[in-house]
Amino acid sequence: TLHICANKFHSYTINQEKCYDISIREEIKTMDQLENIISLIGNNMFATDRISLHNKFGKEYANIRYKNWIRSNFNKENIIIFQSYVKDKIAGFGMHKIESKKVYGLLGGVFEPYQSSGLFASGLYSELKDYFSSGYNEFIVSISSNNISVMKLYMHLGFNVSEIKYVFHNFIEEDK
């Protein structure tokens, strides 16, 4: 688990010249919008996920898991699911939980062709600025340590590791 407080974030910067202009971040309000986002989730999106990396499951099962998680959180009271645009094209999505003055980053993704382009860094930076300027004082996120590039980004922005969780799974094959 990583976290950052508002007063620490403001001392960090990101190269604005390399940032995408994420012109619209729109909350998903309809089932059609939700299903459109879910349909854009491809096999490269969650490649560092433990289920995706598991030889018995793979990327397909990881994607099913995330799609179901997004669906199950749609229209929950303190959950925001949003889509981000670059110009007029949907480029990514995010899912956040709001509790008091804290924001929990639950899930986010960047669609092709924007993967590995810096879009996630631009979007995250923009989100943090917006939340902190709106009075929220902490942003908390749990990520897989397998996702080294995202881990480095969070650390660059001033996030601190506040908790390490070990997640194990046991696959039991049935006798046939």
Side-chain angles (χ1 to χ4, degrees):
T1 303
L2 303 168
H3 77 280
I4 190 169
C5 295
N7 60 352
K8 179 143 187 191
F9 171 73
H10 294 295
S11 65
Y12 287 84
T13 59
I14 195 166
N15 185 343
Q16 294 296 315
E17 293 172 12
K18 293 184 178 180
C19 285
Y20 276 90
D21 178 20
I22 300 173
S23 52
I24 300 171
R25 192 168 45 243
E26 173 186 48
E27 186 173 350
I28 294 174
K29 302 237 184 221
T30 70
M31 188 57 84
D32 285 343
Q33 288 175 312
L34 182 73
E35 289 303 324
N36 185 50
I37 287 293
I38 287 171
S39 74
L40 295 171
I41 293 175
N43 280 337
N44 293 326
M45 185 164 283
F46 302 111
T48 61
D49 175 73
R50 63 190 164 89
I51 300 299
S52 182
L53 295 171
H54 195 288
N55 63 346
K56 297 285 185 184
F57 299 113
K59 293 176 184 178
E60 182 181 338
Y61 284 102
N63 287 343
I64 290 169
R65 186 172 84 119
Y66 283 112
K67 290 174 181 183
N68 287 338
W69 187 26
I70 295 165
R71 280 188 188 102
S72 70
N73 279 289
F74 182 60
N75 281 337
K76 282 197 176 174
E77 187 174 324
N78 57 346
I79 303 286
I80 298 168
I81 302 173
F82 59 90
Q83 53 195 1
S84 298
Y85 291 82
V86 172
K87 299 185 181 172
D88 61 347
K89 186 172 181 179
I90 297 174
F93 77 97
M95 184 167 68
H96 296 161
K97 180 178 181 179
I98 308 293
E99 283 186 0
S100 184
K101 294 288 185 183
K102 295 180 182 179
V103 179
Y104 294 84
L106 301 178
L107 185 63
V110 174
F111 302 124
E112 293 178 354
Y114 298 101
Q115 291 177 354
S116 301
S117 70
L119 177 70
F120 182 74
S122 299
L124 177 61
Y125 183 79
S126 175
E127 289 167 19
L128 292 170
K129 274 180 42 178
D130 290 349
Y131 280 126
F132 292 150
S133 67
S134 298
Y136 295 96
N137 59 24
E138 195 169 5
F139 192 96
I140 302 161
V141 63
S142 293
I143 62 169
S144 169
S145 60
N146 293 330
N147 197 341
I148 293 177
S149 60
V150 170
M151 190 78 152
K152 286 179 179 180
L153 171 64
Y154 280 109
M155 300 308 274
H156 173 76
L157 291 173
F159 279 75
N160 292 309
V161 176
S162 57
E163 181 181 15
I164 296 174
K165 294 179 184 175
Y166 297 98
V167 180
F168 298 98
H169 55 270
N170 188 12
F171 183 78
I172 301 171
E173 292 191 52
E174 294 182 16
D175 293 331
K176 296 194 182 206

